[in-house]
Amino acid sequence: MAEFDTLVAFLVATMIFAYMPGPALLYATAQTIARGRRGGLMAAFGIHLGGYVHVIAAALGLGFLLSQVPTAYMVIKLAGAGYLVWLGFRMIVQRIDDTGPDTVASRPRRTFLQSMLVEILNPKTAIFFIAFLPQFVDPVATLPAWLQFLILGTIVNVVFSSADLVAVAIAHRIVGRIKQSLTGQRVARWIGGSILAGLGLRLGLEGSGK
């Protein structure tokens, strides 16, 4: 592995990137606003597991291939963007009534699977890993480079997920009282769905940079 000073720099940079407001934080926040704390936690867990797909891809060199094939990058990006917009639209228009639990909030497994797919379909995550991790991989270390990628990528994924969990806790505390009424639930779902749709539009329209 890299020297101690390099690892400290790696951890500091990872913390800065993780706690800067970004798509994953906004996504977890939106899911919490619309689905409550349980939905937010399932979203964060799904993002976390989906992140390991990119970690493994970076360790195997597949992420680099994605960066070298613009067509593949564009197809994955547009698929992910369209999926986010669709999720946001569904969140806004899905029916809610006062006769039972909020339909949107009562499907944690679906929230988990959707969130994992959202992360997998985000090519910017793959590009981030292949741009960030090599700076801290020591090619002459005892551990092989692919294993260093896995270790460093796992640390990055855990730190980023810690930021998502903080976002879930804050969002739940802020909107908890608002969602006690039926009108509050509708407003919260509209806000959450709008955030998801906005993230999708942003992903689809922006360039390939981080």
Side-chain angles (χ1 to χ4, degrees):
M1 294 289 286
E3 296 180 356
F4 177 77
D5 291 345
T6 303
L7 290 177
V8 171
F10 163 75
L11 291 175
V12 171
T14 298
M15 292 289 292
I16 292 174
F17 279 122
Y19 283 85
M20 286 174 58
L25 277 176
L26 291 175
Y27 179 86
T29 299
Q31 292 287 5
T32 305
I33 292 173
R35 303 176 188 268
R37 180 169 56 187
R38 188 181 184 188
L41 291 174
M42 288 297 99
F45 186 42
I47 292 172
H48 181 73
L49 289 188
Y52 286 117
V53 173
H54 296 291
V55 172
I56 295 172
L60 298 177
L62 300 179
F64 177 76
L65 293 178
L66 180 63
S67 69
Q68 299 302 307
V69 184
T71 301
Y73 178 91
M74 184 61 64
V75 168
I76 295 175
K77 185 181 78 166
L78 292 179
Y83 188 56
L84 272 172
V85 172
W86 180 78
L87 288 179
F89 175 76
R90 284 288 304 275
M91 187 177 288
I92 292 173
V93 303
Q94 202 164 29
R95 184 175 179 271
I96 183 174
D97 56 50
D98 55 3
T99 60
D102 186 348
T103 303
V104 173
S106 59
R107 297 175 177 174
R109 182 172 180 271
R110 175 176 294 183
T111 303
F112 163 73
L113 294 175
Q114 289 175 344
S115 303
M116 186 166 62
L117 184 57
V118 164
E119 181 67 2
I120 292 172
L121 290 177
N122 184 4
K124 292 179 69 65
T125 302
I127 299 300
F128 171 76
F129 276 119
I130 65 173
F132 181 66
L133 295 184
Q135 303 176 60
F136 305 99
V137 171
D138 186 354
V140 298
T142 304
L143 293 178
W146 67 266
L147 185 54
Q148 294 182 60
F149 266 99
L150 284 179
I151 295 173
L152 295 174
T154 298
I155 294 172
V156 170
N157 207 28
V158 169
V159 174
F160 269 70
S161 291
S162 73
D164 295 340
L165 292 176
V166 170
V168 169
I170 294 175
H172 174 69
R173 189 171 187 84
I174 292 175
V175 303
R177 293 184 178 180
I178 297 177
K179 295 189 65 177
Q180 291 179 358
S181 68
L182 186 62
T183 299
Q185 291 181 31
R186 291 195 179 106
V187 171
R189 227 176 47 190
W190 186 89
I191 294 173
S194 298
I195 293 175
L196 293 188
L199 286 173
L201 291 174
R202 177 188 172 189
L203 175 62
L205 294 175
E206 68 184 358
S208 60
K210 178 66 181 174

